[in-house]
Amino acid sequence: MYKIREMTIEDYEQIYCLWNEIEGLALSDADSRPNIELYLNRNKGLSFVCEENNKIIGTILTGHDGRRGFIYHLAVNPNFRKQKIGNKLVEMSLKKLEEQGIGKCHIFVIENNIGGNYFWSAIGWEKRSGFFVYSKDTNK
């Protein structure tokens, strides 16, 4: 049986390995251990892992900017899908955001991530349109 608990930086090696194996999940320098540690410290109590026999089989990285919540890296090992693990991770994160006064949450899903787009639509999230996302590396 699996259990869900708060994510800690001690989970980093396992979570990064899982993220690296998930099709459609993009990783960058922002996902380095020091950056994830900073993120977890800024967003205490909002990110979770799902474990079975001390092996991480699911993750959700969640935070907010004071107005809106953001979810990154919802990932479930393919061997454990269809057990509502992803749903439970999302529900826990949304509940914790709501407890902090955050009433709306966003997630960025890569356009050609068929499984990810299907999942978010299936659990009632609305696909947004009418705007573009722009990015810039601040060190360039």
Side-chain angles (χ1 to χ4, degrees):
M1 186 63 188
Y2 62 83
K3 70 174 184 173
I4 295 176
R5 63 168 175 78
E6 186 176 347
M7 182 186 292
T8 70
I9 195 58
E10 287 75 27
D11 298 319
Y12 182 78
E13 284 71 26
Q14 281 196 65
I15 63 176
Y16 192 85
C17 185
L18 175 62
W19 292 344
N20 219 16
E21 295 173 359
I22 301 297
E23 187 176 335
L25 197 153
L27 296 173
S28 71
D29 291 341
D31 299 304
S32 70
R33 184 185 179 107
N35 288 335
I36 294 298
E37 185 169 20
L38 286 170
Y39 188 87
L40 293 173
N41 288 335
R42 283 189 193 112
N43 296 284
K44 287 222 179 277
L46 298 175
S47 297
F48 300 95
V49 296
C50 180
E51 289 181 313
E52 183 176 79
N53 298 323
N54 297 317
K55 180 173 172 34
I56 293 175
I57 60 171
T59 67
I60 190 166
L61 191 62
T62 308
H64 68 81
D65 62 9
R67 297 178 54 246
R68 298 287 187 246
F70 297 92
I71 291 175
Y72 304 93
H73 301 345
L74 173 67
V76 176
N77 179 309
N79 296 327
F80 292 90
R81 292 185 180 164
K82 306 289 186 205
Q83 298 180 40
K84 304 285 185 195
I85 293 169
N87 298 57
K88 289 177 181 152
L89 290 166
V90 171
E91 288 169 10
M92 287 184 75
S93 288
L94 292 178
K95 179 178 182 263
K96 293 298 183 181
L97 285 170
E98 188 176 9
E99 288 173 4
Q100 293 189 21
I102 305 299
K104 187 167 203 146
C105 188
H106 302 290
I107 181 161
F108 296 100
V109 182
I110 295 173
E111 188 175 351
N112 65 355
N113 180 346
I114 295 166
N117 282 292
Y118 175 81
F119 173 82
W120 292 105
S121 293
I123 65 167
W125 286 55
E126 176 186 346
K127 182 179 176 185
R128 300 288 304 267
S129 63
F131 58 88
F132 298 99
V133 175
Y134 292 82
S135 300
K136 179 167 180 25
D137 290 339
T138 58
N139 59 355
K140 293 183 182 179

